[in-house]
Amino acid sequence: MAHEMYQACVEACNACADACDHCAAACLQEPDVQMMAHCIALDADCAAICRLAAGYMSRGSQFAAQMCRQCADVCQACGDECAKHQHDHCQQCAQACRRCAEECRRMAAA
């Protein structure tokens, strides 16, 4: 089944989406929310595309590789932004984003 072939990438996408949701919610609690606005926006985009990519892979869509290439780009951008902030939630999100970008690139190249 297609979803078994993509299992590591699906798991990375779901973990990244969860980390992004947590990061966005935590960013909203920071004293200077305005400074976190770009991070929050990227978290939202990243969570959405990760869930979308996971769905494409789970269904075995013919467009899964294309979706994963786009997902990797968004994850990279989100991870780069989160890495700029020293908050634990941002650092953890950056790690999840980088792992997901790596898995998505690997999947798309397979």
Side-chain angles (χ1 to χ4, degrees):
M1 299 198 65
H3 70 279
E4 292 169 348
M5 183 171 58
Y6 305 136
Q7 192 60 38
C9 193
V10 169
E11 289 174 4
C13 283
N14 287 328
C16 187
D18 290 346
C20 286
D21 284 343
H22 173 73
C23 186
C27 284
L28 288 170
Q29 301 304 312
E30 293 297 336
D32 188 357
V33 175
Q34 186 60 39
M35 184 185 84
M36 305 305 293
H38 190 58
C39 187
I40 295 166
L42 282 171
D43 284 337
D45 286 348
C46 192
I49 199 164
C50 284
R51 289 193 174 96
L52 190 61
Y56 272 59
M57 288 182 282
S58 294
R59 292 187 298 278
S61 171
Q62 66 182 358
F63 301 107
Q66 290 169 304
M67 182 57 61
C68 284
R69 279 191 288 277
Q70 186 66 41
C71 185
D73 291 344
V74 175
C75 285
Q76 186 68 52
C78 188
D80 289 349
E81 176 62 26
C82 284
K84 294 177 185 176
H85 306 285
Q86 294 308 309
H87 310 295
D88 285 341
H89 56 85
C90 287
Q91 293 300 310
Q92 291 171 6
C93 188
Q95 287 180 333
C97 287
R98 289 179 180 136
R99 178 173 172 260
C100 189
E102 182 179 312
E103 286 294 336
C104 280
R105 287 187 184 106
R106 185 182 352 259
M107 179 280 188

